[in-house]
């Protein structure tokens, strides 16, 4: 192996540029690096001390994590059972806070899944199942793949009863649906270059819908994942199943409402609001969705209907005032908008700060620049929604919605 020396990586102006240069170097020189890991990590230490000696311990260790991640991902030696541990050992020695091995464990686990080394992958990933839903589903996938191996190897099983590994997979998925840890692959380690985790998630979700048909958590998790991945077809399919199995679940009704809005289907959205009100007649949140629909369609009759319902169901006068202001602005009624802004600041202390912020948006809505006006309208509707739903959920929590929060 050619010794790595300063100068092999071009001069850098930032820690991020340094990282990208090193990652690119790893892509092209895995064989050289693998044969002498201590030299490579020694170079990393000297380069960081020279180029970024003032960075925090956390950023320093995250840098090492990503280097180790790339080494494991690209190396041709990962089939060597000792290689991954050698990388882990060197990376941990290099880090300032050497006990933190999350990134290294994740790199090893993901690579082992790609290689089909499921039992070994579990040992690296299992510790993180309670804090990350993507990792939890990956561990369940490992158990499930091991269960298929049990069947292929003709390991004795009780007829009609799942094997031990499949039971562990089911237990892991049930834990995931009930605890609902965030599904972010521990944020900074998520990558589109790791399709194994996505495949694992969807396979286990599909299996779980069959194993536990009365558990709504799997559908909620799938919808969350589909939204993050901008996978609209999967999102539609899951909502179809959800609305058949759990037709009165507010979470799924809400998700269907928003999907209809995205699809520019006001009739579909209106039918969902009607269903919400049938299932939850005293739910302020459902009433708000009717108000929002009237704002998006600029329909006076719809607005008046839901405004009257807001009064009848006891929604605070301050929020009803905000509804009035929003509709006046969307309708481009400048005189009414000005009056409602001034009146709101005087009469509703809880709205004062928010109305001062909205005032700038209102000015842009009435701009002659159509692009600026459209952007301001959307921002205003979104801001009002965030404010209203926060207030409604805080003051009028729906106990029948297990997904609320």
């Amino acid at each position: 192996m050619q010794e790595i020396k300063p100068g092999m990586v071009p001069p850098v102006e930032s820690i991020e540029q340094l990282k990208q240069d090193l990652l690119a170097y790893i892509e092209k020189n895995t064989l050289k690096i693998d044969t002498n890991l201590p030299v490579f990590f020694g170079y990393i230490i000297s380069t960081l001390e020279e180029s970024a000696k003032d960075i925090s311990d956390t950023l320093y260790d995250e840098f090492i994590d990503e280097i180790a991640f790339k080494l494991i991902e690209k190396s041709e030696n990962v089939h060597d059972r000792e290689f991954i541990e050698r990388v882990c050992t060197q990376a941990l020695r290099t880090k300032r806070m050497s006990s933190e091995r999350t990134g290294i464990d994740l790199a090893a686990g993901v690579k082992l899944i790609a290689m089909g080394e499921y039992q070994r992958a579990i040992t690296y990933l299992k510790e993180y199942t309670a804090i990350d839903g993507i990792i939890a589903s990956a561990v369940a996938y490992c158990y499930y793949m091991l269960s298929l191996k049990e069947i292929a190897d003709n390991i004795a099983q009780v007829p009609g009863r799942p094997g031990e590994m499949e039971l562990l997979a089911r237990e892991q998925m049930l834990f995931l649906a009930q605890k609902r840890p965030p599904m972010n692959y521990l944020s900074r380690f998520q990558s589109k270059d790791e399709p194994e985790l996505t495949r694992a998630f969807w396979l286990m979700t599909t299996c779980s819908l069959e194993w536990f048909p009365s558990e709504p958590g799997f559908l909620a998790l799938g919808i969350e994942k589909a939204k993050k991945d901008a996978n609209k077809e999967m999102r539609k399919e899951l909502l179809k199943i959800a609305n058949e199995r759990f037709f009165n679940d507010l979470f799924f009704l809400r998700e269907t409402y928003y999907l209809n809005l995205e699809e520019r289907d006001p009739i579909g959205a209106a039918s969902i609001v009607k269903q919400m009100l049938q299932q939850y007649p005293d739910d302020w949140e459902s009433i708000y969705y009717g108000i929002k629909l009237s704002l998006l369609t600029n329909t006076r009759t719809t607005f008046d209907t839901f405004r009257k319902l807001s009064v009848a169901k006891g929604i605070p006068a301050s929020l009803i005032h905000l509804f009035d202001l929003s509709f006046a602005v969307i309708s481009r009624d400048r005189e009414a908008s000005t009056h409602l802004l001034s009146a709101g600041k005087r009469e509703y202390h809880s709205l004062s700060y928010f109305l001062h912020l909205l005032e700038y948006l209102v000015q842009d809505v009435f701009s002659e620049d159509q692009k600026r006006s459209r952007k301001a309208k959307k921002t205003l509707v979104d801001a009002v929604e965030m404010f209203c739903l926060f207030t409604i959920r805080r003051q009028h929590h729906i106990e029948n919605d297990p997904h609320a929060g």
Side-chain angles (χ1 to χ4, degrees):
M1 172 183 174
Q2 178 185 350
E3 184 179 358
I4 302 173
K5 300 177 181 178
M8 295 182 71
V9 177
V12 296
E13 297 178 357
S14 70
I15 186 69
E16 181 61 29
Q17 184 60 52
L18 172 60
K19 180 174 66 179
Q20 294 306 318
D21 288 339
L22 285 168
L23 295 179
Y25 179 84
I26 292 170
E27 290 266 4
K28 299 176 182 178
N29 297 277
T30 55
L31 291 177
K32 293 179 181 178
I33 296 169
D34 292 355
T35 56
N36 202 339
L37 290 170
V39 173
F40 178 72
F41 277 100
Y43 170 71
I44 299 296
I45 293 173
S46 62
T47 304
L48 281 173
E49 290 300 321
E50 180 180 343
S51 304
K53 60 183 178 181
D54 295 328
I55 64 172
S56 68
D57 290 351
T58 299
L59 286 177
Y60 185 101
D61 286 357
E62 287 178 358
F63 187 103
I64 299 301
D65 278 340
E66 296 197 48
I67 296 300
F69 202 111
K70 179 65 79 171
L71 282 172
I72 293 172
E73 179 186 35
K74 294 301 179 181
S75 176
E76 297 178 7
N77 291 321
V78 288
H79 292 281
D80 176 354
R81 285 181 169 268
E82 296 181 358
F83 173 77
I84 291 176
E85 271 307 314
R86 289 203 301 272
V87 174
C88 293
T89 299
Q90 288 298 327
L92 287 171
R93 287 174 178 171
T94 305
K95 297 171 84 170
R96 290 176 178 170
M97 299 181 290
S98 59
S99 62
E100 176 52 60
R101 57 178 296 149
T102 301
I104 299 166
D105 286 346
L106 292 179
V110 172
K111 186 65 176 182
L112 288 166
I113 289 175
M115 294 163 52
E117 295 270 1
Y118 303 115
Q119 191 64 62
R120 291 178 66 203
I122 291 170
T123 63
Y124 283 96
L125 299 178
K126 192 173 182 180
E127 180 182 348
Y128 308 102
T129 56
I131 57 176
D132 193 292
I134 297 298
I135 300 303
S137 66
V139 170
Y141 172 79
C142 290
Y143 284 130
Y144 183 68
M145 297 307 289
L146 290 171
S147 78
L148 298 181
K149 187 175 186 302
E150 283 183 340
I151 296 171
D153 291 344
N154 295 315
I155 295 177
Q157 292 185 11
V158 178
R161 177 180 170 81
E164 180 184 357
M165 290 295 109
E166 183 175 324
L167 288 173
L168 287 170
R170 293 187 183 202
E171 180 183 342
Q172 183 65 64
M173 289 304 291
L174 196 57
F175 166 85
L176 174 58
Q178 293 174 348
K179 298 300 182 181
R180 298 283 300 277
M183 295 206 309
N184 59 6
Y185 186 27
L186 298 176
S187 64
R188 63 194 174 86
F189 299 107
Q190 191 165 19
S191 169
K192 292 183 179 179
D193 297 328
E194 288 143 20
E196 293 81 12
L197 295 184
T198 296
R199 284 197 297 268
F201 175 84
W202 288 119
L203 175 61
M204 298 318 301
T205 297
T206 301
C207 289
S208 299
L209 292 176
E210 181 180 339
W211 292 336
F212 309 103
S214 62
E215 173 55 65
F218 300 111
L219 289 160
L221 286 166
I223 290 165
E224 181 184 345
K225 173 69 171 164
K227 287 169 68 175
K228 284 187 174 183
D229 294 348
N231 187 343
K232 187 169 282 189
E233 290 306 310
M234 182 60 77
R235 186 176 163 201
K236 288 180 181 178
E237 182 62 29
L238 292 172
L239 280 172
K240 179 181 176 182
I241 297 171
N243 288 320
E244 290 171 355
R245 294 186 184 181
F246 310 102
F247 65 92
N248 64 344
D249 189 301
L250 183 57
F251 174 82
F252 297 123
L253 289 172
R254 184 190 300 129
E255 289 294 326
T256 307
Y257 170 84
Y258 280 112
L259 180 61
N260 284 328
L261 292 185
E262 289 177 30
E263 300 270 277
R264 299 183 182 277
D265 180 8
I267 295 175
S271 70
I272 293 298
V273 172
K274 181 179 179 181
Q275 188 176 347
M276 285 179 175
L277 290 172
Q278 288 172 343
Q279 299 294 335
Y280 304 97
D282 297 319
D283 175 17
W284 292 356
E285 187 174 346
S286 301
I287 296 169
Y288 170 75
Y289 292 134
I291 292 289
K292 178 175 181 177
L293 189 59
S294 74
L295 296 177
L296 295 176
T297 59
N298 194 14
T299 308
R300 167 59 71 175
T301 54
T302 302
F303 177 79
D304 289 342
T305 297
F306 283 99
R307 189 189 189 284
K308 289 177 183 177
L309 191 56
S310 300
V311 175
K313 294 298 182 180
I315 289 180
S318 58
L319 291 189
I320 295 174
H321 187 90
L322 197 54
F323 298 162
D324 291 339
L325 170 62
S326 300
F327 193 80
V329 175
I330 294 299
S331 302
R332 295 186 68 82
D333 186 335
R334 187 187 292 269
E335 183 177 350
S337 299
T338 302
H339 170 73
L340 288 164
L341 274 170
S342 299
K345 292 175 188 176
R346 290 195 309 271
E347 298 174 24
Y348 303 108
H349 181 265
S350 62
L351 287 182
S352 180
Y353 179 72
F354 186 55
L355 289 176
H356 277 293
L357 297 177
L358 286 186
E359 196 165 10
Y360 294 99
L361 286 174
V362 171
Q363 293 173 4
D364 282 354
V365 170
F366 288 103
S367 168
E368 296 301 321
D369 183 335
Q370 291 302 308
K371 183 177 179 181
R372 185 176 184 179
S373 177
R374 285 194 300 271
K375 184 177 179 181
K377 279 185 182 179
K378 182 182 185 309
T379 304
L380 183 140
V381 171
D382 289 347
V384 168
E385 173 169 328
M386 290 177 65
F387 184 91
C388 289
L389 290 182
F390 173 80
T391 304
I392 286 169
R393 289 170 181 169
R394 184 181 59 189
Q395 295 185 12
H396 201 71
H397 181 71
I398 302 299
E399 294 182 356
N400 292 328
D401 178 13
H403 313 286

